[in-house]
Amino acid sequence: MNSEPTAADQVALVHTIARLARLEIGSDEATALAGQFTSILQQFRGLASLDVTEVEPLVSMSGAESVTRADVPEPSFAPDLMLAAAPERDGDFYRVPKTVGGEE
Amino acid sequence: MSAYSELDAVALAAETSAGKRSAQDNVAACFAAVGQLDRELNVFLNTDRLRAEAAAIELDRRAAAGEELGALHGVPIALKANMCTVGFESNCASRILAGYKAPYTATFVERLVAAGAIPVGMTNMDEFAMGSSSENSAFGPTRNPWDKARTSGGSSAGSAAAVAAGITPIALGSDTGGSVRQPAALCGIFGFKPTYGRISRYGLIAFGSSLDQVSPFARSVRDLELVTRLMSGTDVNDSTCLDEPELQLEHGDVQGLRIGVPKEYFADGLEAGVRARCEEAIATLERLGATIVPVTLPHSQHAIAVYYVVATAEASSNLARFEGVRFGARVEGDGSLQGMFAATREAGFGPEVKRRILLGTYVLSAGYYDAWYGRALKVRTLLRRDFETAFESCDLIVGPTSPEPAFELGSKTDDPVAMYLSDVLTVPVSLAGLPAASVPCGFTDVGGVRLPVGLQIIGPHRADARVLCAARAFEAATTHARERAPAFAHGGAA
Amino acid sequence: MSSTGDTLRLRESGYVSKRTGTRWMVVIGLEVHCQLKTRTKLFCGCEYRFGAEPNSITCPKCTGQPGALPVLNREALALAVRTALALGCEVKEKSKFDRKHYFYCDLPKGYQISQYDQPYCTGGGIRLAHGKFVRLTRIHMEEDAGKAIHDRGDKTLVDLNRASVPLIESVTEADIESAAEATEYLASFKEIVQYCGASDCDMEKGTLRCDVNISVRLAGEPLRTKVEIKNLNSFRFVAAAIEYETARQVEAYESGDPAQFPVQETRLWDPNLGVTRTMRSKESAHDYRYFADPDLPPIRIDRAFIERERSSLPELPASRRERYESAMGLSAKDARVLTAERVVADFFEACVRLGGKAKDCSNWIQNELFCMVGDAEINAATFDEIQIRPHDLVSVLELIEKGVIQGNAGRTLLRAIVKTGRNAKSLVTELGLEQVQDTLQIETWCREALVGKDKIIADVKSGKPNALNALFGPVMKASGGKANAQVVRETLQRLIEEM
Ligand SMILES: [Mg+2]
Ligand SMILES: [Zn+2]
C-alpha cells in the first residue's frame, strides 16, 4: 500500500491472487483486471488515513457468544439426495480427476 | 372480488381464507401475470406452475375441511434465486450453479410455506447477489416496470419487479449492502431489511455472511410486518440468529419521535428529484408529529471501502465451495484436480463475481490482511459507533435510499467503481447491522420518464418495529405507494 | 531434575554421524490430531461411525451445500476443555473459530473451520519419565476433512462421511530430541486423552494422527531448516521416520553441497520403503487467508464450565501408578500394565475397594481377564466388553481365600461367570467346584498316584522334597482340581514317610 506498484507488478499480483482463488485468467483479462484493481483500491485508500490503533475490530454481528447445540444426532441425508447434484459420481462416491494424496 | 394484483398479501389471504377466492385462483392469476409480463421484464429465472398448483390444491382442501389456515393462506410468493427450496432451481443467476436443486429448504421459506404462502418461482438477480442493477445475472437483466430501458436495481431485481409489476403481492430478496432497499426504491415499492440476525440465514446462499439478511418486498407496510414476523425467530440451524421472535409494534405513528437527518446523506451527487422528494418526505414526517434533528455520521465516506473489503473477503471464502465436486457444472480443464477446479470456476463465474473473488482473496492474503481486511473491520466498528452516537439524539434516521432513481441499463456496466457508489447510502446501515426500510416517497422526472424515489428509514439495533411504525405512518399519510407502474398486471384474471 | 542428570542426558542425546563421528542435535516438535468422542459431528447432527457406507453420514452442513451453516457441538467443546485441563493447559476465556482456506476434493467448503490466532487453550505439557518436560504450545479445535480414495481406478473417489468430525490439534514446542522421546511423549499423551474420555486415540482408525517437525543442528548453533513429515499412522512409523529423517538431514549437511541441504518442505513417510519423500515444497506453501468465521459467534468459556469439566476429570495414569506402587505395593511393571487403559485401572481399583487384595486382583486381571480378550468363547474384543463386574472377581478371590474352592477351580468359575453372567455362589454349587476336604478320599487318590513311582518315593526319602511335585499333579487331576492342595501335600508326605 505504501510504494506505488508498477503496472507489471499489478498484473503479476493479479495472477498470484487468481492462482490462490483457483481462477484461470488469461493475460488480457489479467491486464484489464489489474487496471480495475488499481482504480478500486485507489478509491479505498481513505481507509489508510484513519487512526484505528485503539479500535477493536467488529467481528461478531449478533453480539451473541458461545452459541452451541446439544450432542444429539439428527438423521443424515440419503446418499442419493446428497449426490443428486454431483457432476460425476461412482456408486455413492463423488468422483474427481485423479490426484495424489494431500491438499494441493 | 377484487382483482388479484390490487390486493396486498394480508387482503389476499383474508379473501382466500374467507372463501371469496381460492388458492388455485390466486395461482392462476399469478401465472397469468407471469405470462403477460415475464418475457418483457425478465423477472423469473424459473417458475414451477405445477408445484404451485399442487400446493394451492392442498391449501384449498384444508380450507374446505375447515382446518386452521395460516396468515399467508394461498398467497403466491416469489423467491430470489439464492434461496434453497426443495424442488426449485436455486442457481443464483450463475452458470456455475445452473440446474442446481438444493436437497433442503431454507428455514425462512419453510416458515412462510407453513403459513400458507405458495412459492411460484425463483427470481432474477445479480450473480451471487453481487451488483446493483441485475446486469451481472448470467441470464440477462431484469427490466424496470416503470421503464423497461432501465434497471430494477439489484441485486434482488426480479423479486422487486415481481411485486412492482403485480405478479406477486410479496417477494423475498436478500440485502447485503442494499440489495432489497435499493431495488424497492427504484421500483416504487416497500422493502425492509431487518436487524442482522432477525431472520435465519439457513438456506440463503451466502454472499457476505456478516451482512446478508433475508428481506421482504411488498406493496404495503403491513405485508412487510407480517412476512418479517413469520420469518423471525431463532433457528437451531443458524448460530447468528437473534432470539427476537415477536415484532412488537411500538406505536402506529411518528408522533413525538425524534427523526435524525444526517447531512452526509444529502451531500452533492444526489439527483435533484431524489433530494426534493426526500426533503418533502421529511417535512411530511414533521407534519405527522416527528421532531427533525440534524445528526452526523462522520465515517460514512469510508463505508463503501469497508463494505467492499469485508463483503468481497467473505464472498471469496463463501464461493470457494463452488469447485465442481459436489454440485454445479464442471469443466475438466487440464485433467488434474486443481486444474478442474480452476477451469470450472473460470467458466462458471461471471466477470463481476471473479473481480470480487479476486479482491476478497487479495485483502485476506498474507501481507495485505492487516492493511485491508484487518483495518476494514476496525473502521466498521467506527461506522457502527457513528450510528450509536447519532441514535443518542434521535429515534430514527432518514435519508434517500439511493442517490438516483433507476438508471438506464448499460450506463454503468463498464465502471465497477461507479456501480459500487450507487450503494453509498445503504451500505453503512448493512455494516452496522441495523434495520432499515425503503418506502415510496414520490417520483422524479428524468428525461420525461417518471421514476419512483425511495425514502430510507433507519432504526437502532433491534428497533425493527419502530422502523415499520414510521413506515406505516408515512404510508398512511401519502399516496405514492398506490401508484402503479406502466408494466403492471392490470385486468386479466381476477 | 538434577543438573548432573541433565548434563548426562545431554551428553548422550543426539545423533552421531557414522561418516564423520560428529554429534548432531535433533530438534523435534509434534502435531497431534485427536478425534473427539462425541456422538455427532462438530458442526452438524450427523452421527459419525467409522467404516460406514460412503457418503451415508452427511447432510447439507457437513458437505458445504450452498446456504448451509455450522452450529457448534457443545459436547465437543466440553471434551476439548477436559483434555486441556488434563494436560495442564490454560483454557482461554475467549476464543473463536476461523476459516482456513485451501482447495482439495475432500474439503467441502473450500475452507476448514479451525482456530487460528485465538485457540481455546495454550501452554501445558507432559513430563517424560527421565524428568524432561515437553511443553505444549497450544491446542485448538477444528473439523476434519472427508476422505479421498486414490487406489480405485483412474479417478479419485471422495467420501465425505468424516467431513466435519471434531478434532483437537495439539502442537508441542520443539522440545523433543529423539525418536524415543517422541514415542514416549505420544504414548503418554494418548494415555491422558483416553483417560479423559475425550478420544479413543486409535491410530488404526485414524482417531489419533501425528505429524513431525524435525531439524538437526550442531550444539550451540541456532535452529536449521525444519522439515514436516506427514502420514505417520503408528508410533513405530513416527520413530522410524525420525530416525530416517535425522540421518538424511545430517548426511545432506555433511555433503557440504548447499544444493543438497534440506529445504523447508512437507514430506510423506512411505512405510513400504521406509523413507520420507517430498510432498510439497515451500514454493507452493499455502496462504490460508485465515479470518474469523462470521457464521460462528465467539466462544466464551466461563469458570463454571471449566470447573464442571475439571470435576469430571479422572485421576490420571501417572498419579495412579505412583499410588499403586507406594500405597498398594505393586511392582512398577504391574502398575504400568494396569494403568495402560483406564477401564482396566478403574476395574482394578473397584476390586480393591471391594476388599480384594491388590496383588491378587492385579494377578487375576493380568493372567485371567486379559486372556479373555479375543477368546472365541468369550466374545469380547476389548477389556471393556468382558461381561464381568468387579464384585464377581472379588467373590472368586474370596472363595479361594476361604478355602471353598481351589485356585484352578477359581479360573473355571471366573470363565463361567463371564459366559453366563450369573453370580459366583450359585455357579460354585452348580458346577461342583467346592474343594474336597475329605481326607479319606484324598488318601485314596494319593495311594493311586504312588503306585509304581518308586524312583520319586526314593528321591523324596533321600531329602529331595521337590520331587513330590511330580505326584501332586496326578492327584489334583484325579480330584478334578477340587482337592485341597495343602491336604494333598501333607497326605503324600505322610504316606511316603510311612513306606
Ligand atoms: Mg489442523
Ligand atoms: Zn452433517
Side-chain angles (χ1 to χ4, degrees):
Chain A
M1 250 171 94
N2 299 323
S3 60
E4 284 303 321
T6 65
D9 289 342
Q10 287 290 349
V11 173
L13 178 64
V14 166
H15 274 299
T16 306
I17 299 294
R19 232 186 337 271
L20 259 184
R22 292 299 180 283
L23 291 172
E24 240 171 35
I25 54 172
S27 55
D28 289 356
E29 205 179 350
T31 310
L33 279 164
Q36 290 167 351
F37 238 66
T38 311
S39 74
I40 292 168
L41 295 176
Q42 205 80 45
Q43 284 285 325
F44 294 176
R45 287 205 157 196
L47 281 184
S49 67
L50 288 169
D51 180 9
V52 291
T53 39
E54 299 296 313
V55 183
E56 282 292 305
L58 181 50
V59 279
S60 173
M61 286 309 293
S62 70
E65 288 177 319
S66 300
V67 179
T68 59
R69 65 179 170 83
D71 186 23
V72 176
E74 283 163 37
S76 292
F77 282 43
D80 267 343
L81 195 56
M82 295 308 301
L83 284 141
E88 205 185 334
R89 60 188 278 192
D90 182 340
D92 284 343
F93 288 103
Y94 300 92
R95 203 151 88 137
V96 297
K98 187 79 172 177
T99 167
V100 288
E103 59 210 54
E104 295 207 340
Chain B
M1 174 164 89
S2 320
Y4 162 81
S5 58
E6 288 305 323
L7 298 174
D8 69 356
V10 169
L12 190 66
E15 286 200 359
T16 314
S17 299
K20 291 184 189 159
R21 58 200 309 138
S22 70
Q24 291 171 79
D25 293 338
N26 298 342
V27 168
C30 173
F31 277 93
V34 169
Q36 188 189 328
L37 295 164
D38 191 26
R39 190 187 297 265
E40 48 182 311
L41 296 178
N42 197 19
V43 170
F44 286 99
L45 293 176
N46 55 79
T47 55
D48 193 335
R49 183 166 189 160
L50 288 178
R51 191 172 282 272
E53 282 171 352
I57 288 167
E58 167 59 14
L59 288 166
D60 288 337
R61 185 200 62 74
R62 281 189 212 162
E67 290 176 25
E68 200 175 321
L69 303 175
L72 287 175
H73 174 70
V75 175
I77 186 170
L79 304 173
K80 190 175 180 178
N82 59 355
M83 299 175 168
C84 296
T85 306
V86 165
F88 286 90
E89 181 180 329
S90 307
N91 62 30
C92 292
S94 179
R95 281 194 304 277
I96 210 161
L97 272 182
Y100 175 70
K101 292 189 168 187
Y104 72 109
T105 296
T107 304
F108 56 88
V109 174
E110 271 181 354
R111 289 179 181 174
L112 295 184
V113 168
I118 304 172
V120 293
M122 294 292 176
T123 61
N124 196 17
M125 57 189 281
D126 285 292
E127 184 179 2
F128 284 104
M130 297 177 187
S132 309
S133 69
S134 80
E135 288 165 291
N136 296 328
S137 167
F139 307 102
T142 295
R143 294 173 179 280
N144 195 312
W146 293 88
D147 176 6
K148 282 176 258 176
R150 292 172 187 270
T151 179
S152 290
S155 64
S156 312
S159 285
V163 172
I167 298 173
T168 57
I170 49 173
L172 295 185
S174 61
D175 191 316
T176 305
S179 280
V180 161
R181 286 162 288 158
Q182 183 254 23
L186 271 45
C187 289
I189 57 171
F190 295 97
F192 177 56
K193 184 197 92 70
T195 296
Y196 178 85
R198 174 174 283 282
I199 298 170
S200 164
R201 291 182 294 120
Y202 187 68
L204 175 69
I205 300 178
F207 161 18
S209 308
S210 73
L211 297 150
D212 294 343
Q213 187 59 200
V214 174
S215 307
F217 291 103
R219 292 194 299 267
S220 71
V221 177
R222 61 180 189 175
D223 279 7
L224 289 183
E225 286 170 25
L226 175 62
V227 173
T228 305
R229 178 159 54 236
L230 290 170
M231 292 192 292
S232 297
T234 49
D235 179 10
V236 291
N237 294 311
D238 179 359
S239 321
T240 63
C241 203
L242 299 173
D243 186 10
E244 300 246 309
E246 277 304 312
L247 197 63
Q248 291 297 346
L249 295 200
E250 295 170 11
H251 10 224
D253 56 43
V254 292
Q255 185 70 48
L257 286 187
R258 295 165 302 163
I259 291 183
V261 178
K263 62 174 189 295
E264 292 83 0
Y265 279 32
F266 288 87
D268 296 343
L270 215 52
E271 193 269 341
V274 168
R275 179 187 298 274
R277 292 304 89 74
C278 289
E279 283 169 356
E280 289 159 22
I282 291 165
T284 301
L285 289 168
E286 192 168 20
R287 201 169 58 246
L288 292 172
T291 310
I292 306 302
V293 294
V295 294
T296 176
L297 301 168
H299 295 93
S300 294
Q301 63 184 106
H302 301 291
I304 288 284
V306 172
Y307 174 78
Y308 278 91
V309 171
V310 170
T312 59
E314 292 179 357
S316 73
S317 172
N318 287 327
L319 271 57
R321 69 189 61 197
F322 302 104
E323 25 65 317
V325 176
R326 288 146 297 130
F327 36 72
R330 176 190 288 183
V331 177
E332 293 295 340
D334 66 6
S336 73
L337 178 71
Q338 299 295 340
M340 183 276 279
F341 291 165
T344 295
R345 291 165 64 78
E346 176 61 18
F349 293 132
E352 179 62 22
V353 172
K354 276 188 236 171
R355 195 153 42 227
R356 294 202 195 185
I357 290 175
L358 288 175
L359 194 57
T361 305
Y362 168 79
V363 298
L364 287 173
S365 64
Y368 302 100
Y369 179 99
D370 290 338
W372 290 110
Y373 186 71
R375 178 168 280 266
L377 292 184
K378 292 180 172 181
V379 181
R380 191 174 184 181
T381 298
L382 297 177
L383 281 155
R384 188 155 80 171
R385 275 192 211 154
D386 275 2
F387 279 105
E388 284 165 0
T389 307
F391 281 122
E392 284 169 12
S393 60
C394 65
D395 303 301
L396 291 169
I397 289 173
V398 299
T401 304
S402 165
E404 58 182 340
F407 49 89
E408 283 183 19
L409 290 168
S411 64
K412 292 187 184 184
T413 40
D414 292 336
D415 186 355
V417 174
M419 192 70 94
Y420 295 174
L421 289 174
S422 61
D423 301 331
V424 68
L425 301 172
T426 47
V427 296
V429 177
S430 301
L431 288 165
L434 305 179
S438 180
V439 301
C441 67
F443 295 83
T444 177
D445 219 308
V446 181
V449 185
R450 198 163 170 263
L451 296 169
V453 175
L455 178 77
Q456 190 176 200
I457 305 175
I458 304 160
H461 195 236
R462 301 188 183 217
D464 303 48
R466 195 186 304 164
V467 170
L468 290 172
C469 281
R472 194 148 75 173
F474 187 78
E475 176 191 32
T478 57
T479 57
H480 314 301
R482 279 176 242 159
E483 301 219 22
R484 294 293 172 245
F488 189 81
H490 289 295
Chain C
M1 185 163 57
S2 75
S3 60
T4 39
D6 206 1
T7 330
L8 202 77
R9 188 169 51 75
L10 272 177
R11 207 178 307 135
E12 284 168 357
S13 71
Y15 172 86
V16 179
S17 161
K18 287 188 189 71
R19 211 161 57 97
T20 64
T22 310
R23 182 176 292 279
W24 290 78
M25 314 293 293
V26 190
V27 184
I28 300 165
L30 296 177
E31 282 172 33
V32 183
H33 287 85
C34 292
Q35 183 182 310
L36 295 174
K37 232 163 93 174
T38 53
R39 288 190 70 188
T40 67
K41 295 186 181 181
L42 186 53
F43 295 116
C44 73
C46 288
E47 191 172 15
Y48 179 67
R49 298 180 311 280
F50 179 77
E53 290 297 302
N55 293 301
S56 61
I57 313 177
T58 74
C59 72
K61 291 174 194 158
C62 54
T63 56
Q65 287 281 326
L69 300 167
V71 186
L72 178 64
N73 182 341
R74 200 178 306 142
E75 179 66 8
L77 186 63
L79 292 180
V81 167
R82 199 181 302 167
T83 307
L85 295 172
L87 290 164
C89 310
E90 185 200 338
V91 175
K92 299 291 177 188
E93 191 186 0
K94 285 199 80 170
S95 56
K96 67 180 169 77
F97 282 104
D98 300 287
R99 296 182 178 182
K100 174 184 181 179
H101 300 83
Y102 62 89
F103 284 91
Y104 194 60
C105 56
D106 65 7
L107 186 73
K109 298 183 291 292
Y111 57 85
Q112 176 194 31
I113 304 177
S114 182
Q115 295 190 296
Y116 180 51
D117 55 348
Q118 290 181 44
Y120 81 98
C121 81
T122 58
I126 289 176
R127 193 166 297 285
L128 304 183
H130 62 65
K132 176 196 263 187
F133 189 71
V134 177
R135 291 166 299 160
L136 275 165
T137 312
R138 58 184 276 165
I139 310 180
H140 68 254
M141 281 177 275
E142 62 184 24
E143 58 178 346
D144 208 343
K147 242 181 185 152
I149 297 156
H150 307 290
D151 56 1
R152 307 232 196 122
D154 60 345
K155 294 268 189 165
T156 290
L157 304 181
V158 182
D159 173 11
L160 297 178
N161 281 346
R162 206 181 61 188
S164 205
V165 159
L167 302 178
I168 46 173
E169 177 178 340
S170 62
V171 182
T172 73
E173 297 288 324
D175 287 345
I176 297 167
E177 292 165 289
S178 68
E181 285 185 6
T183 39
E184 188 189 338
Y185 169 86
L186 284 171
S188 181
F189 179 89
K190 172 178 165 170
E191 208 174 59
I192 292 170
V193 177
Q194 281 177 332
Y195 262 68
C196 295
S199 173
D200 287 334
C201 294
D202 182 341
M203 284 191 110
E204 271 179 29
K205 287 185 178 166
T207 58
L208 185 98
R209 302 199 287 272
C210 177
D211 302 335
V212 173
N213 287 301
I214 178 169
S215 64
V216 298
R217 66 181 170 97
L218 294 170
E221 261 191 358
L223 294 174
R224 296 196 183 196
T225 306
K226 181 178 82 176
V227 168
E228 184 183 22
I229 313 171
K230 286 182 177 286
N231 196 29
L232 298 162
N233 42 29
S234 80
F235 287 4
R236 205 159 46 81
F237 291 164
V238 170
I242 288 172
E243 270 153 19
Y244 174 85
E245 187 62 20
T246 305
R248 187 189 72 86
Q249 290 186 16
V250 166
E251 210 170 291
Y253 285 124
E254 290 188 344
S255 76
D257 175 8
Q260 290 189 36
F261 287 3
V263 292
Q264 191 174 332
E265 62 175 352
T266 300
R267 297 176 74 87
L268 284 176
W269 172 247
D270 183 331
N272 299 318
L273 299 178
V275 300
T276 63
R277 45 189 174 74
T278 300
M279 171 185 164
R280 178 201 319 134
S281 66
K282 203 200 173 197
E283 283 71 52
S284 61
H286 288 114
D287 180 348
Y288 289 123
R289 288 161 283 134
Y290 283 101
F291 73 98
D293 192 329
D295 291 333
L296 290 161
I299 302 164
R300 179 181 293 273
I301 302 171
D302 59 24
R303 280 277 120 216
F305 190 95
I306 291 175
E307 289 319 314
R308 200 160 52 241
E309 289 313 316
R310 200 190 297 283
S311 68
S312 73
L313 274 184
E315 185 189 3
L316 293 174
S319 155
R320 290 195 196 200
R321 279 196 287 274
E322 214 311 284
R323 195 160 50 80
Y324 294 178
E325 289 178 48
S326 61
M328 299 185 186
L330 295 189
S331 71
K333 179 178 168 291
D334 284 348
R336 201 175 59 244
V337 172
L338 291 173
T339 53
E341 271 188 84
R342 184 179 161 193
V343 275
V344 177
D346 285 349
F347 185 89
F348 165 72
E349 290 187 26
C351 292
V352 173
R353 265 198 308 278
L354 289 168
K357 286 187 181 142
K359 183 68 194 162
D360 290 347
C361 294
S362 164
N363 287 344
W364 279 71
I365 288 170
Q366 293 186 57
N367 299 335
E368 303 307 318
L369 295 182
F370 280 1
C371 298
M372 293 186 188
V373 176
D375 183 322
E377 282 187 353
I378 303 292
N379 193 23
T382 61
F383 185 89
D384 215 13
E385 290 173 17
I386 302 172
Q387 296 298 313
I388 187 167
R389 296 160 300 173
H391 164 79
D392 295 321
L393 178 59
V394 175
S395 305
V396 172
L397 295 179
E398 269 172 10
L399 289 169
I400 294 170
E401 176 137 19
K402 285 185 192 148
V404 179
I405 58 171
Q406 264 302 117
N408 265 333
R411 282 185 260 285
T412 311
L413 176 59
L414 199 64
R415 285 184 77 87
I417 292 170
V418 170
K419 282 200 263 183
T420 64
R422 290 170 47 196
N423 69 40
K425 287 231 166 58
S426 70
L427 283 168
V428 165
T429 325
E430 186 173 316
L431 299 174
L433 293 173
E434 290 98 336
Q435 277 194 61
V436 176
Q437 306 269 11
D438 177 346
T439 45
L440 231 76
Q441 175 63 63
I442 290 173
E443 191 171 327
T444 313
W445 286 327
C446 287
R447 282 183 193 285
E448 282 164 13
L450 284 165
V451 173
K453 297 294 185 324
D454 298 345
K455 167 91 172 65
I456 295 172
I457 294 164
D459 284 349
V460 174
K461 284 195 163 184
S462 67
K464 293 181 185 165
N466 284 344
L468 203 67
N469 291 344
L471 298 169
F472 193 74
V475 177
M476 291 308 290
K477 195 176 174 194
S479 75
K482 291 186 281 185
N484 182 306
Q486 192 53 36
V487 178
V488 171
R489 195 169 289 279
E490 285 165 9
T491 308
L492 284 170
Q493 203 88 47
R494 179 170 52 81
L495 291 174
I496 291 172
E497 277 163 20
E498 286 168 9
M499 279 171 148

